[in-house]
Amino acid sequence: MDKQIVFTTAPIVIPSPALPSREIGASVEFQGIVRELEQGQSLTGLHYEAHESMARRHLERIFDELCATHPCAAVVFIHRLGWVPVGEASLFVRVLAAHRGEALRFLAESIDRLKADVPIWKRA
């Protein structure tokens, strides 16, 4: 599986899809957008920090494990660090697979595991 993991302090620019083969039948994408309310508190944005090298290792392991149960051809993961204003994306994930079921399950589980296991933190 092709894995692209990017951390950036700039606004996320969604890359054009590049299909690694003609057998790709599903491309699913997710954007995590900063909301105005966090736990009932009004915000103007959130600040994100990460232990980048450790986060990258965790993400590589998670993607490899998920690919074993939900075969996918590629994943593009972009996480913004630093200040992210309300209404802008802090996260973009694209998963390419032969079938939608694998891509959707891979995407959902990768985000759940990101929140539980990867050293990326947010604060108001």
Side-chain angles (χ1 to χ4, degrees), residues 35-112:
R35 297 182 309 261
E36 187 174 35
L37 293 176
E38 178 82 13
Q39 299 176 348
Q41 180 184 0
S42 182
L43 304 172
T44 57
L46 292 171
H47 185 83
Y48 289 86
E49 297 177 45
H51 187 298
E52 286 187 51
S53 61
M54 187 180 292
R56 188 175 305 280
R57 284 193 306 273
H58 278 280
L59 288 165
E60 295 246 359
R61 179 181 44 80
I62 288 167
F63 296 156
D64 288 341
E65 289 172 3
L66 290 175
C67 191
T69 55
H70 311 300
C72 291
V75 60
V76 175
F77 174 95
I78 305 171
H79 204 299
R80 190 161 166 193
L81 300 177
W83 180 253
V84 182
V86 166
E88 292 189 19
S90 61
L91 174 65
F92 172 81
V93 182
R94 175 186 293 138
V95 179
L96 302 176
H99 304 284
R100 72 180 184 283
E102 285 89 355
L104 289 166
R105 285 187 289 276
F106 185 103
L107 178 64
E109 290 182 31
S110 68
I111 293 169
D112 289 344

